[in-house]
Amino acid sequence: AIYHYWYEKVEAALFASGPTIEIGCGCGNFKEFMASSIATDYVDTEWAERAVDACQMPFSDGSVGNIVGIDVLHHIVNPVRFLNEAERILTTGGRGVLIEPYVYSLWGRLVYQVLHHEPVSMEADFFNMPYDPDQPYPPDYANGATGYLLFWKNLAKLGTMVPGLTVVRKELFSFLAYPMSGGFQPFSVLPASMAEPLSRLEDKLLRPLHASITGLRMLVVLEKH
């Protein structure tokens, strides 16, 4: 129920034409929501229609309408290389739509740096990383700060590294609904029927506070020009 609300945000941000490729499809939830999307993952799974390395995608230049990634970017060792690939395969006007953790609010720092199991490195430098297509990814790699470092702290530098993509939208959202749901843990203190109403209420009432205090998630929309 929580992710369904997020998927609505993603769908509303998509470019109108061309195929929509999801990277890191995991257990296939977005594909269930948007059946026309093409589900891919780094390894071959029962939910992935194709095994695709996001840093070396098997799609021709300008052939893709949208690239969707939900909690995927911070698991990519070389995210700038991925964004260069997105720039290459997206058609003019095509979009990359990403949902990522937001670690810079007070609540985000507590949740991601104290309560969450994935590491957060605010010192990571994604702009001077070699890329070796024959080097497999560490299966447990993560840096929850990736989205903040690229799209907030170093956005101007990112623009010089990936000049064909422009960030056309950044939205912060989510406060209590996701933690109360238990995430992917086998417990929840939030009834499923309350997931969407609480998420909408948070969006409506807390938006001015998300950047500094309450925000847990970011929606970032990049457009090919």
Short mmCIF file of all heavy atoms in Angstrom, two decimals, residues 14-61:
data_model
loop_
_atom_site.label_atom_id
_atom_site.label_comp_id
_atom_site.label_asym_id
_atom_site.label_seq_id
_atom_site.Cartn_x
_atom_site.Cartn_y
_atom_site.Cartn_z
N LEU A 14 6.13 10.42 -15.69
CA LEU A 14 6.72 9.79 -16.86
C LEU A 14 6.48 10.58 -18.14
O LEU A 14 5.48 11.28 -18.28
CB LEU A 14 6.15 8.37 -17.03
CG LEU A 14 6.45 7.37 -15.92
CD1 LEU A 14 5.76 6.04 -16.20
CD2 LEU A 14 7.95 7.17 -15.74
N PHE A 15 7.42 10.44 -19.08
CA PHE A 15 7.26 10.96 -20.43
C PHE A 15 6.18 10.16 -21.15
O PHE A 15 6.00 8.97 -20.90
CB PHE A 15 8.59 10.83 -21.17
CG PHE A 15 8.61 11.42 -22.55
CD1 PHE A 15 8.29 12.75 -22.75
CD2 PHE A 15 8.99 10.65 -23.64
CE1 PHE A 15 8.32 13.30 -24.03
CE2 PHE A 15 9.03 11.19 -24.92
CZ PHE A 15 8.69 12.52 -25.11
N ALA A 16 5.46 10.81 -22.04
CA ALA A 16 4.25 10.21 -22.59
C ALA A 16 4.48 9.08 -23.57
O ALA A 16 3.59 8.25 -23.78
CB ALA A 16 3.39 11.30 -23.24
N SER A 17 5.64 9.01 -24.21
CA SER A 17 5.83 8.00 -25.25
C SER A 17 7.14 7.26 -25.06
O SER A 17 8.02 7.69 -24.32
CB SER A 17 5.81 8.65 -26.64
OG SER A 17 6.87 9.56 -26.78
N GLY A 18 7.24 6.10 -25.75
CA GLY A 18 8.44 5.28 -25.67
C GLY A 18 8.34 4.28 -24.55
O GLY A 18 7.57 4.44 -23.60
N PRO A 19 9.13 3.20 -24.63
CA PRO A 19 9.08 2.17 -23.60
C PRO A 19 9.59 2.68 -22.26
O PRO A 19 10.46 3.56 -22.19
CB PRO A 19 9.99 1.07 -24.16
CG PRO A 19 10.89 1.77 -25.13
CD PRO A 19 10.08 2.88 -25.71
N THR A 20 9.04 2.13 -21.19
CA THR A 20 9.48 2.45 -19.83
C THR A 20 10.26 1.26 -19.28
O THR A 20 9.71 0.16 -19.16
CB THR A 20 8.27 2.76 -18.93
OG1 THR A 20 7.65 3.97 -19.36
CG2 THR A 20 8.72 2.93 -17.46
N ILE A 21 11.54 1.48 -18.98
CA ILE A 21 12.42 0.44 -18.46
C ILE A 21 12.57 0.63 -16.97
O ILE A 21 12.97 1.71 -16.51
CB ILE A 21 13.81 0.51 -19.12
CG1 ILE A 21 13.71 0.53 -20.66
CG2 ILE A 21 14.69 -0.64 -18.63
CD1 ILE A 21 13.10 -0.70 -21.26
N GLU A 22 12.27 -0.40 -16.19
CA GLU A 22 12.56 -0.35 -14.76
C GLU A 22 13.87 -1.07 -14.51
O GLU A 22 14.06 -2.21 -14.92
CB GLU A 22 11.47 -1.01 -13.94
CG GLU A 22 11.75 -0.91 -12.43
CD GLU A 22 10.86 -1.77 -11.55
OE1 GLU A 22 10.12 -2.61 -12.10
OE2 GLU A 22 10.92 -1.60 -10.32
N ILE A 23 14.80 -0.40 -13.82
CA ILE A 23 16.03 -1.06 -13.40
C ILE A 23 15.86 -1.54 -11.96
O ILE A 23 15.12 -0.94 -11.17
CB ILE A 23 17.25 -0.12 -13.52
CG1 ILE A 23 17.06 1.14 -12.67
CG2 ILE A 23 17.51 0.23 -14.98
CD1 ILE A 23 18.31 1.96 -12.50
N GLY A 24 16.54 -2.62 -11.62
CA GLY A 24 16.47 -3.14 -10.25
C GLY A 24 15.05 -3.47 -9.83
O GLY A 24 14.58 -3.01 -8.79
N CYS A 25 14.36 -4.28 -10.61
CA CYS A 25 12.93 -4.50 -10.38
C CYS A 25 12.64 -5.30 -9.12
O CYS A 25 11.48 -5.34 -8.66
CB CYS A 25 12.30 -5.19 -11.58
SG CYS A 25 12.83 -6.91 -11.82
N GLY A 26 13.67 -5.97 -8.55
CA GLY A 26 13.43 -6.70 -7.31
C GLY A 26 12.36 -7.76 -7.48
O GLY A 26 12.40 -8.57 -8.40
N CYS A 27 11.37 -7.73 -6.60
CA CYS A 27 10.31 -8.75 -6.63
C CYS A 27 9.13 -8.37 -7.51
O CYS A 27 8.06 -8.97 -7.40
CB CYS A 27 9.85 -9.08 -5.21
SG CYS A 27 9.24 -7.67 -4.28
N GLY A 28 9.31 -7.37 -8.39
CA GLY A 28 8.35 -7.12 -9.45
C GLY A 28 7.12 -6.32 -9.08
O GLY A 28 6.13 -6.33 -9.82
N ASN A 29 7.17 -5.56 -8.00
CA ASN A 29 5.98 -4.82 -7.58
C ASN A 29 5.58 -3.72 -8.56
O ASN A 29 4.39 -3.51 -8.80
CB ASN A 29 6.19 -4.21 -6.19
CG ASN A 29 6.24 -5.26 -5.11
OD1 ASN A 29 5.70 -6.34 -5.25
ND2 ASN A 29 6.90 -4.94 -4.01
N PHE A 30 6.57 -2.99 -9.09
CA PHE A 30 6.21 -1.92 -10.02
C PHE A 30 5.62 -2.48 -11.31
O PHE A 30 4.70 -1.91 -11.89
CB PHE A 30 7.43 -1.05 -10.34
CG PHE A 30 7.09 0.14 -11.21
CD1 PHE A 30 6.42 1.23 -10.68
CD2 PHE A 30 7.44 0.16 -12.56
CE1 PHE A 30 6.09 2.32 -11.48
CE2 PHE A 30 7.12 1.24 -13.36
CZ PHE A 30 6.45 2.34 -12.82
N LYS A 31 6.12 -3.61 -11.75
CA LYS A 31 5.57 -4.27 -12.94
C LYS A 31 4.12 -4.64 -12.72
O LYS A 31 3.29 -4.53 -13.64
CB LYS A 31 6.40 -5.52 -13.26
CG LYS A 31 5.88 -6.36 -14.42
CD LYS A 31 6.05 -5.67 -15.75
CE LYS A 31 5.62 -6.57 -16.89
NZ LYS A 31 5.81 -5.96 -18.22
N GLU A 32 3.76 -5.07 -11.52
CA GLU A 32 2.37 -5.36 -11.22
C GLU A 32 1.52 -4.09 -11.30
O GLU A 32 0.37 -4.13 -11.73
CB GLU A 32 2.24 -5.98 -9.82
CG GLU A 32 2.81 -7.38 -9.71
CD GLU A 32 2.59 -7.97 -8.34
OE1 GLU A 32 1.87 -7.35 -7.52
OE2 GLU A 32 3.13 -9.05 -8.07
N PHE A 33 2.10 -2.96 -10.87
CA PHE A 33 1.38 -1.69 -10.91
C PHE A 33 1.26 -1.17 -12.34
O PHE A 33 0.20 -0.70 -12.75
CB PHE A 33 2.12 -0.67 -10.04
CG PHE A 33 1.56 0.73 -10.12
CD1 PHE A 33 0.46 1.11 -9.35
CD2 PHE A 33 2.13 1.67 -10.96
CE1 PHE A 33 -0.04 2.39 -9.41
CE2 PHE A 33 1.62 2.96 -11.03
CZ PHE A 33 0.54 3.32 -10.25
N MET A 34 2.35 -1.24 -13.10
CA MET A 34 2.39 -0.72 -14.47
C MET A 34 2.82 -1.84 -15.39
O MET A 34 4.01 -2.05 -15.65
CB MET A 34 3.35 0.47 -14.55
CG MET A 34 3.38 1.15 -15.90
SD MET A 34 4.47 2.61 -15.90
CE MET A 34 4.34 3.06 -17.64
N ALA A 35 1.85 -2.56 -15.89
CA ALA A 35 2.11 -3.78 -16.65
C ALA A 35 2.89 -3.52 -17.94
O ALA A 35 3.60 -4.40 -18.43
CB ALA A 35 0.80 -4.49 -16.97
N SER A 36 2.79 -2.31 -18.49
CA SER A 36 3.47 -2.01 -19.75
C SER A 36 4.97 -1.78 -19.57
O SER A 36 5.71 -1.72 -20.55
CB SER A 36 2.84 -0.78 -20.40
OG SER A 36 2.98 0.36 -19.56
N SER A 37 5.43 -1.59 -18.34
CA SER A 37 6.86 -1.38 -18.11
C SER A 37 7.64 -2.66 -18.35
O SER A 37 7.09 -3.76 -18.27
CB SER A 37 7.10 -0.87 -16.69
OG SER A 37 6.71 -1.84 -15.74
N ILE A 38 8.92 -2.52 -18.62
CA ILE A 38 9.81 -3.66 -18.84
C ILE A 38 10.68 -3.82 -17.61
O ILE A 38 11.49 -2.95 -17.28
CB ILE A 38 10.67 -3.45 -20.10
CG1 ILE A 38 9.78 -3.27 -21.33
CG2 ILE A 38 11.65 -4.61 -20.29
CD1 ILE A 38 10.52 -2.82 -22.57
N ALA A 39 10.49 -4.92 -16.89
CA ALA A 39 11.19 -5.14 -15.63
C ALA A 39 12.56 -5.75 -15.88
O ALA A 39 12.68 -6.80 -16.51
CB ALA A 39 10.36 -6.05 -14.73
N THR A 40 13.60 -5.08 -15.39
CA THR A 40 14.97 -5.59 -15.52
C THR A 40 15.64 -5.62 -14.16
O THR A 40 15.26 -4.87 -13.25
CB THR A 40 15.83 -4.75 -16.49
OG1 THR A 40 16.22 -3.52 -15.84
CG2 THR A 40 15.06 -4.43 -17.76
N ASP A 41 16.64 -6.45 -14.03
CA ASP A 41 17.45 -6.48 -12.82
C ASP A 41 18.86 -6.89 -13.20
O ASP A 41 19.10 -7.41 -14.29
CB ASP A 41 16.87 -7.44 -11.78
CG ASP A 41 17.13 -6.96 -10.36
OD1 ASP A 41 18.19 -6.34 -10.13
OD2 ASP A 41 16.28 -7.19 -9.48
N TYR A 42 19.80 -6.65 -12.28
CA TYR A 42 21.21 -6.94 -12.56
C TYR A 42 21.45 -8.44 -12.78
O TYR A 42 22.33 -8.83 -13.53
CB TYR A 42 22.06 -6.41 -11.41
CG TYR A 42 23.54 -6.62 -11.58
CD1 TYR A 42 24.20 -6.06 -12.67
CD2 TYR A 42 24.27 -7.33 -10.64
CE1 TYR A 42 25.57 -6.24 -12.83
CE2 TYR A 42 25.64 -7.51 -10.79
CZ TYR A 42 26.28 -6.97 -11.88
OH TYR A 42 27.63 -7.14 -12.04
N VAL A 43 20.66 -9.25 -12.10
CA VAL A 43 20.74 -10.70 -12.27
C VAL A 43 19.41 -11.23 -12.79
O VAL A 43 18.37 -10.57 -12.68
CB VAL A 43 21.11 -11.41 -10.95
CG1 VAL A 43 22.51 -11.02 -10.52
CG2 VAL A 43 20.11 -11.08 -9.86
N ASP A 44 19.44 -12.40 -13.35
CA ASP A 44 18.24 -13.03 -13.89
C ASP A 44 17.40 -13.58 -12.74
O ASP A 44 17.89 -14.39 -11.94
CB ASP A 44 18.63 -14.14 -14.86
CG ASP A 44 17.44 -14.67 -15.63
OD1 ASP A 44 16.42 -13.98 -15.68
OD2 ASP A 44 17.54 -15.79 -16.16
N THR A 45 16.16 -13.14 -12.62
CA THR A 45 15.26 -13.62 -11.57
C THR A 45 13.91 -13.96 -12.19
O THR A 45 13.64 -13.64 -13.36
CB THR A 45 15.04 -12.57 -10.47
OG1 THR A 45 14.21 -11.51 -10.98
CG2 THR A 45 16.37 -11.98 -10.00
N GLU A 46 13.05 -14.53 -11.40
CA GLU A 46 11.72 -14.88 -11.91
C GLU A 46 10.86 -13.65 -12.18
O GLU A 46 9.86 -13.73 -12.88
CB GLU A 46 10.99 -15.79 -10.91
CG GLU A 46 10.73 -15.17 -9.55
CD GLU A 46 10.05 -16.13 -8.60
OE1 GLU A 46 8.83 -16.36 -8.78
OE2 GLU A 46 10.74 -16.65 -7.69
N TRP A 47 11.24 -12.50 -11.62
CA TRP A 47 10.45 -11.28 -11.83
C TRP A 47 11.02 -10.40 -12.94
O TRP A 47 10.33 -9.53 -13.45
CB TRP A 47 10.39 -10.48 -10.54
CG TRP A 47 9.82 -11.26 -9.40
CD1 TRP A 47 8.50 -11.55 -9.18
CD2 TRP A 47 10.54 -11.88 -8.35
NE1 TRP A 47 8.36 -12.30 -8.05
CE2 TRP A 47 9.59 -12.53 -7.50
CE3 TRP A 47 11.89 -11.96 -8.01
CZ2 TRP A 47 9.96 -13.23 -6.36
CZ3 TRP A 47 12.26 -12.66 -6.87
CH2 TRP A 47 11.31 -13.29 -6.06
N ALA A 48 12.28 -10.60 -13.29
CA ALA A 48 12.92 -9.76 -14.30
C ALA A 48 12.69 -10.33 -15.70
O ALA A 48 12.92 -11.51 -15.94
CB ALA A 48 14.42 -9.65 -14.03
N GLU A 49 12.26 -9.48 -16.60
CA GLU A 49 12.10 -9.90 -17.99
C GLU A 49 13.44 -9.95 -18.71
O GLU A 49 13.59 -10.70 -19.68
CB GLU A 49 11.15 -8.94 -18.71
CG GLU A 49 9.74 -8.96 -18.14
CD GLU A 49 8.89 -7.85 -18.70
OE1 GLU A 49 8.30 -8.03 -19.78
OE2 GLU A 49 8.80 -6.78 -18.04
N ARG A 50 14.39 -9.14 -18.25
CA ARG A 50 15.73 -9.15 -18.82
C ARG A 50 16.74 -8.89 -17.71
O ARG A 50 16.47 -8.13 -16.78
CB ARG A 50 15.89 -8.07 -19.90
CG ARG A 50 14.98 -8.24 -21.09
CD ARG A 50 15.26 -7.19 -22.15
NE ARG A 50 16.59 -7.34 -22.76
CZ ARG A 50 17.01 -6.64 -23.80
NH1 ARG A 50 16.21 -5.75 -24.36
NH2 ARG A 50 18.22 -6.83 -24.30
N ALA A 51 17.90 -9.52 -17.81
CA ALA A 51 19.02 -9.21 -16.93
C ALA A 51 19.80 -8.06 -17.57
O ALA A 51 20.31 -8.19 -18.68
CB ALA A 51 19.91 -10.42 -16.72
N VAL A 52 19.88 -6.92 -16.86
CA VAL A 52 20.47 -5.70 -17.43
C VAL A 52 21.37 -5.04 -16.38
O VAL A 52 20.95 -4.80 -15.25
CB VAL A 52 19.36 -4.71 -17.86
CG1 VAL A 52 19.96 -3.34 -18.20
CG2 VAL A 52 18.59 -5.26 -19.05
N ASP A 53 22.59 -4.76 -16.77
CA ASP A 53 23.50 -3.95 -15.96
C ASP A 53 23.15 -2.48 -16.23
O ASP A 53 23.28 -2.00 -17.36
CB ASP A 53 24.94 -4.25 -16.37
CG ASP A 53 25.97 -3.43 -15.59
OD1 ASP A 53 25.58 -2.50 -14.86
OD2 ASP A 53 27.18 -3.72 -15.74
N ALA A 54 22.73 -1.77 -15.20
CA ALA A 54 22.30 -0.38 -15.38
C ALA A 54 23.41 0.53 -15.86
O ALA A 54 23.14 1.62 -16.38
CB ALA A 54 21.73 0.16 -14.07
N CYS A 55 24.65 0.10 -15.72
CA CYS A 55 25.79 0.90 -16.19
C CYS A 55 26.23 0.52 -17.59
O CYS A 55 27.18 1.10 -18.12
CB CYS A 55 26.96 0.76 -15.22
SG CYS A 55 26.68 1.57 -13.64
N GLN A 56 25.56 -0.44 -18.20
CA GLN A 56 25.90 -0.89 -19.56
C GLN A 56 24.64 -1.50 -20.16
O GLN A 56 24.54 -2.70 -20.35
CB GLN A 56 27.04 -1.91 -19.50
CG GLN A 56 27.68 -2.21 -20.83
CD GLN A 56 28.86 -3.14 -20.70
OE1 GLN A 56 29.15 -3.68 -19.64
NE2 GLN A 56 29.56 -3.36 -21.80
N MET A 57 23.68 -0.64 -20.49
CA MET A 57 22.35 -1.12 -20.86
C MET A 57 22.27 -1.49 -22.33
O MET A 57 22.78 -0.76 -23.19
CB MET A 57 21.30 -0.08 -20.49
CG MET A 57 21.12 0.07 -18.98
SD MET A 57 19.76 1.15 -18.48
CE MET A 57 20.57 2.75 -18.50
N PRO A 58 21.62 -2.61 -22.65
CA PRO A 58 21.58 -3.11 -24.03
C PRO A 58 20.46 -2.50 -24.85
O PRO A 58 19.70 -3.19 -25.51
CB PRO A 58 21.35 -4.62 -23.81
CG PRO A 58 20.50 -4.67 -22.59
CD PRO A 58 20.99 -3.56 -21.71
N PHE A 59 20.37 -1.18 -24.82
CA PHE A 59 19.35 -0.47 -25.58
C PHE A 59 20.05 0.56 -26.46
O PHE A 59 21.04 1.18 -26.05
CB PHE A 59 18.34 0.21 -24.65
CG PHE A 59 17.70 -0.73 -23.66
CD1 PHE A 59 18.06 -0.70 -22.32
CD2 PHE A 59 16.76 -1.66 -24.07
CE1 PHE A 59 17.50 -1.57 -21.41
CE2 PHE A 59 16.19 -2.55 -23.17
CZ PHE A 59 16.56 -2.50 -21.84
N SER A 60 19.52 0.77 -27.65
CA SER A 60 20.16 1.67 -28.60
C SER A 60 19.96 3.13 -28.20
O SER A 60 19.06 3.48 -27.43
CB SER A 60 19.62 1.43 -30.01
OG SER A 60 18.22 1.60 -30.05
N ASP A 61 20.80 3.99 -28.76
CA ASP A 61 20.75 5.42 -28.44
C ASP A 61 19.36 5.99 -28.74
O ASP A 61 18.79 5.76 -29.81
CB ASP A 61 21.78 6.17 -29.27
CG ASP A 61 23.21 5.76 -28.95
OD1 ASP A 61 23.38 4.87 -28.09
OD2 ASP A 61 24.14 6.32 -29.56
#
